[in-house]
Amino acid sequence: MSSRQAAAALTAREWGVLLVLCGAIFLEGIDVAMLNVALPSIRADLGLSTGSLQWVMSAYVLGYGGFMLVGGRAADLFGRRRMFVFWLSVFLLFSGLGGFATEGWTLIVARFVTGLAAAFMAPAGLSLITTSFEEGPQRNKALLLYSGTAAGGFSVGLVVGGLLTSVGWRWVFFAPVVLAALILLAALALVPGAPRPDRTGRSVDLAGGLTVTAAVILLVLGVERAGHTSLLWTLGTLGAGLVLLAAFIAMERRSASPLVRLGIFRSGALVRANLVGLLFAAGFFGFQFLVVLYLQELRDWSTLQTSFAMIVIGVDAILSPVLTPRLVNRFGNARVIFAGLLLASLSYALFLPLGADWTYLAMLPGLLTLGIAFSLAYGPLTIVATEGVQEEEQGLAGGLLYTSFQFGAAIGLSTVTAVNVSATASSSPAALLHGYRVALWVPLAAALLAALIGAFGLRGRPAVTVAASGAPADRTAGELPAAP
């Protein structure tokens, strides 16, 4: 066994902790994916309008994206295990309540609280990994397994959601309850407790938390609803969000104990990872949305057929823990991320000449390439976004990254929707196909811009680790170069 392999070896207890945390992120991915394929059945059974159905998804997005920064900081201040266990319990409860909904508004409320629970649970879980495993080969191995599990949850959820919906859409809500209960019991048994964090001189920035939560909710809402409301409403919502965001930044500059220490953004690697993550998520989710529309609206494929067609993207669940660690060890995070972004661009480009009667074999190269791209980009982005960050700010770093992913997904979905609607002149097959082709340029543009930003990370210079005090501390890390 090489010294690098020995350094990356995990004990039985560490494997137990990792399996619990991977189970939680798998739960989150499968929950979202199953709901996506169950929406038509939910609308038919509850008699929901298109607007109400949209809010079933939007409520989760708002809860998840709006409270992520607060959730990440709460993990640092109140204890990562404590936040993880408590909000996993909330997730379990409200996922089950969603299955009992008989009115649209009760389902929307349940999804909002479920998203809020995920916003606290996800960064707590990520920071448990980054603080439980030593930075370097061991943490990289854990994070790549974690990211592969997250992707696998989404891919498996597409198929399982189709199967459960064929039995009854309520099972899409009940099934995660069983999995969440098992994970909760395992977390109580395997995740070690820790002393309550010392919050001396670190008061809770309640005003900052309320301001940034309101700002992010308005920004996500404005972007996510852009294709469904008037331009004036969208601009007003985004404008209000930007005003609150500016107010939050001003408050944090003066706060003795800020919710988000602005000095953390002195790390060029962290900023770059978050920008690339935002754009990568925008392209990835926008592309998937368009392909699903193409298969179901134009090709009249069933939900289950569409799910099986898309599952090939889940190859990243296999490659992330098997291939990606070797590539990272040999070439470094920055180069592996850049390769993933180039492959994502290639995948979207392969779909530009989309035909009205494409066979699945014609689509397969693009879908498979996207799965490989995800395996190369997602895990290493998680490593870069959290490496070099002090332990007491790991929750914050995780919250920033997940906020970027969520906001990027909202941007991608709303942009491709707006472009697709404006480019589709009628409901004829030719018009629908033209709309898809035009909208496919959006994910391609997002991936190319992400690759351009990622290219600045290819320079192999020493990185700067920003200490909690705000003063930079030099360290050598050729794969995590300093800011351009």
Side-chain angles (χ1 to χ4, degrees):
M1 179 184 292
S2 68
S3 59
R4 183 180 291 274
Q5 289 174 324
L10 304 179
T11 66
R13 184 59 179 260
E14 288 170 336
W15 273 114
V17 172
L18 183 57
L19 288 174
V20 169
L21 300 175
C22 285
I25 200 68
F26 179 86
L27 171 67
E28 181 194 333
I30 200 172
D31 176 79
V32 174
M34 289 195 301
L35 181 62
N36 283 343
V37 298
L39 288 175
S41 297
I42 293 173
R43 172 164 57 182
D45 190 31
L46 298 184
L48 300 181
S49 65
T50 301
S52 296
L53 188 69
Q54 176 69 24
W55 273 107
V56 173
M57 288 300 297
S58 297
Y60 183 90
V61 170
L62 291 178
Y64 194 11
F67 288 85
M68 189 69 72
L69 286 176
V70 176
R73 197 60 181 140
D76 293 330
L77 293 176
F78 300 107
R80 299 177 178 94
R81 182 183 184 273
R82 185 175 293 106
M83 288 291 100
F84 178 79
V85 169
F86 175 78
W87 288 104
L88 176 58
S89 303
V90 175
F91 188 99
L92 181 158
L93 176 62
F94 279 86
S95 180
L97 289 177
F100 290 107
T102 56
E103 299 287 341
W105 70 268
T106 56
L107 183 57
I108 290 170
V109 170
R111 291 307 295 171
F112 176 79
V113 180
T114 304
L116 186 151
F120 281 81
M121 184 176 70
L126 178 59
S127 61
L128 276 171
I129 287 183
T130 56
T131 55
S132 300
F133 299 92
E134 183 180 356
E135 185 172 305
Q138 190 181 72
R139 184 189 293 179
N140 291 354
K141 179 179 181 179
L143 286 174
L144 291 171
L145 284 168
Y146 185 73
S147 62
T149 306
F154 190 83
S155 300
V156 171
L158 291 174
V159 176
V160 174
L163 293 172
L164 290 177
T165 302
S166 65
V167 177
W169 65 265
R170 296 183 187 277
W171 284 103
V172 167
F173 294 91
F174 295 146
V177 171
V178 178
L179 180 58
L182 294 174
I183 296 169
L184 179 59
L185 292 174
L188 293 172
L190 298 175
V191 178
R196 184 182 293 269
D198 181 11
R199 299 202 301 272
T200 304
R202 301 166 67 199
S203 60
V204 179
D205 184 10
L206 182 60
L210 292 174
T211 304
V212 74
T213 298
V216 175
I217 284 178
L218 287 173
L219 290 172
V220 172
L221 179 62
V223 169
E224 206 273 337
R225 300 287 295 171
H228 309 278
T229 59
S230 67
L231 177 61
L232 182 61
W233 189 95
T234 298
L235 293 177
T237 306
L238 292 175
L242 291 173
V243 169
L244 285 175
L245 185 61
F248 168 73
I249 294 173
M251 293 167 60
E252 298 303 278
R253 288 182 181 275
R254 296 193 301 268
S255 176
S257 182
L259 178 73
V260 177
R261 185 180 62 82
L262 299 181
I264 198 172
F265 296 108
R266 294 177 186 172
S267 167
L270 181 145
V271 172
R272 191 162 46 247
N274 278 272
L275 288 175
V276 170
L278 185 151
L279 290 166
F280 183 74
F284 183 81
F285 285 97
F287 173 79
Q288 283 198 325
F289 179 71
L290 289 172
V291 173
V292 169
L293 286 181
Y294 164 76
L295 293 176
Q296 294 192 359
E297 287 189 349
L298 185 63
R299 304 296 299 277
D300 200 27
W301 286 26
S302 68
T303 299
L304 200 55
Q305 285 177 309
T306 303
S307 300
F308 276 112
M310 300 290 285
I311 199 173
V312 68
I313 300 177
V315 68
D316 59 324
I318 301 172
L319 297 180
S320 288
V322 176
L323 174 64
T324 308
R326 299 180 182 179
L327 296 177
V328 167
N329 289 338
R330 181 169 183 179
F331 301 107
N333 287 305
R335 291 177 176 83
V336 174
I337 291 170
F338 185 68
L341 297 174
L342 291 181
L343 284 177
S345 303
L346 174 62
S347 171
Y348 305 145
L350 289 174
F351 267 81
L352 290 180
L354 187 66
D357 56 354
W358 266 20
T359 64
Y360 184 64
L361 287 178
M363 299 179 241
L364 186 59
L367 296 174
L368 186 59
T369 301
L370 183 57
I372 298 172
F374 197 99
S375 70
L376 297 182
Y378 184 70
L381 278 173
T382 306
I383 295 172
V384 175
T386 56
E387 193 166 16
V389 177
Q390 298 300 309
E391 181 173 332
E392 61 266 26
E393 292 187 323
Q394 282 292 332
L396 171 61
L400 288 170
L401 181 64
Y402 282 129
T403 299
S404 297
F405 281 137
Q406 194 67 27
F407 194 52
I411 290 176
L413 289 169
S414 63
T415 304
V416 298
T417 298
V419 173
N420 181 42
V421 170
S422 64
T424 305
S426 68
S427 58
S428 68
L432 290 174
L433 181 61
H434 176 73
Y436 302 143
R437 284 177 172 173
V438 174
L440 280 168
W441 283 95
V442 174
L444 177 58
L448 290 173
L449 182 56
L452 178 62
I453 296 172
F456 286 101
L458 298 177
R459 295 178 297 170
R461 295 191 297 153
V464 174
T465 299
V466 184
S469 62
D474 290 333
R475 69 181 179 86
T476 301
E479 65 190 66
L480 291 175

